[in-house]
Amino acid sequence: GDSVTQMEGPVTLSEEAFLTINCTYTATGYPSLFWYVQYPGEGLQLLLKATKADDKGSNKGFEATYRKETTSFHLEKGSVQVSDSAVYFCALTGAGANSKLTFGKGITLSVRP
Amino acid sequence: GAGVSQTPSNKVTEKGKYVELRCDPISGHTALYWYRQSLGQGPEFLIYFQGTGAADDSGLPNDRFFAVRPEGSVSTLKIQRTERGDSAVYLCASSATSGGPPWAAQYFGPGTRLLVL
């Protein structure tokens, strides 16, 4: 079945550092790919998405590119802020009509001032 | 507008008891999902409703779990004979999709934290 693998965490960075969070997936067909974020005390929010190969999703300075050849969707940000401290989940929906999400384990990011 | 709401926010129960968890989706959203999130894990799919019917219940772990959505809006997740392993955060999400693109955004509620003693 479909699966998502995220790099092991947690990750701690200093403010203004460069961020990369790795995500790879296994799926049949052409899934859609997502990054969700959960800020402390809040619910899951969609951060960005990409629906086909080579698409780049972007939001709030974060970017991720759908790489079919490497089955990856790595999340990047050039300069993190303290307010980016959260748990980040990579997820996919299958190619069929059922749009249930399959999530990775999530990774906790802490940004120090 | 109002987002997805879930009640109660916390529920503590004893092993063997019955619990009901409620989800109010965003008004007009036809698709509704239940997920379960254990500590340190990502959410895992339980069941998906399109309107009143369960379109996919393949994620329900066993027959102690059941969910309904009788009028195509509010949904209730029901757990019979609760076990300690059922302790988790139960998340509800809704989406405006109606058999359309699978990439339509799912909007999540804050979750119900269930603790079975």
Side-chain angles (χ1 to χ4, degrees), chain A residues 32-34 36 38 41-46 49-51 87 89 93-106, chain B residues 31 33 35 37 40-45 48 55-56 58-59 91 95 97 99-110:
Chain A
S32 297
L33 303 175
F34 305 82
Y36 277 80
Q38 190 167 32
E42 299 185 16
L44 274 169
Q45 301 174 25
L46 178 64
K49 68 182 181 189
T51 60
V87 183
F89 295 92
T93 58
N98 185 341
S99 48
K100 68 182 182 185
L101 285 161
T102 298
F103 286 88
K105 281 188 171 184
Chain B
Y33 307 79
Y35 296 85
Q37 186 174 15
Q41 303 294 319
E44 293 179 317
F45 170 76
Y48 156 53
D56 182 355
S58 62
L91 298 170
S95 171
T97 186
W103 55 81
Q106 294 185 24
Y107 296 86
F108 282 80

Side-chain angles (χ1 to χ4, degrees), chain A residues 1 11 16 24 32-33 35 44 46 51 55 60 62 64 69 73 80 98 100-101 103-104 107 113:
Chain A
V11 173
E16 300 184 0
T24 57
S32 297
L33 303 175
W35 277 99
L44 274 169
L46 178 64
T51 60
D55 265 4
K60 299 183 179 181
F62 291 89
E69 63 276 15
F73 193 54
V80 294
N98 185 341
K100 68 182 182 185
L101 285 161
F103 286 88
I107 187 168

Side-chain angles (χ1 to χ4, degrees), chain B residues 49-60:
Chain B
F49 287 90
Q50 189 60 259
T52 60
D56 182 355
D57 64 358
S58 62
L60 295 177

Side-chain angles (χ1 to χ4, degrees), chain B residues 5-74:
Chain B
S5 63
Q6 293 186 245
T7 54
S9 54
N10 291 281
K11 176 71 177 178
V12 181
T13 190
E14 294 178 345
K15 180 175 178 298
K17 299 289 189 184
Y18 168 84
V19 297
E20 289 190 350
L21 313 178
R22 176 186 168 107
C23 172
D24 279 89
I26 293 172
S27 178
H29 279 189
T30 56
L32 185 146
Y33 307 79
W34 284 98
Y35 296 85
R36 178 168 71 173
Q37 186 174 15
S38 300
L39 195 63
Q41 303 294 319
E44 293 179 317
F45 170 76
L46 295 176
I47 186 169
Y48 156 53
F49 287 90
Q50 189 60 259
T52 60
D56 182 355
D57 64 358
S58 62
L60 295 177
N62 51 59
D63 61 5
R64 295 187 298 106
F65 288 75
F66 190 71
V68 295
R69 196 185 184 200
E71 297 178 358
S73 179
V74 170

Side-chain angles (χ1 to χ4, degrees), chain A residues 73-97:
Chain A
F73 193 54
H74 304 324
L75 183 68
E76 295 183 338
K77 186 173 185 182
S79 176
V80 294
Q81 305 301 311
V82 172
S83 58
D84 294 326
S85 299
V87 183
Y88 292 81
F89 295 92
C90 185
L92 65 82
T93 58

Side-chain angles (χ1 to χ4, degrees), chain A residues 16-58:
Chain A
E16 300 184 0
F18 183 84
L19 169 71
T20 299
I21 301 178
N22 289 343
C23 171
T24 57
Y25 68 88
T26 301
T28 54
Y30 298 91
S32 297
L33 303 175
F34 305 82
W35 277 99
Y36 277 80
V37 60
Q38 190 167 32
Y39 297 104
E42 299 185 16
L44 274 169
Q45 301 174 25
L46 178 64
L47 180 60
L48 54 83
K49 68 182 181 189
T51 60
K52 60 183 188 295
D54 300 324
D55 265 4
K56 178 185 284 187
S58 61

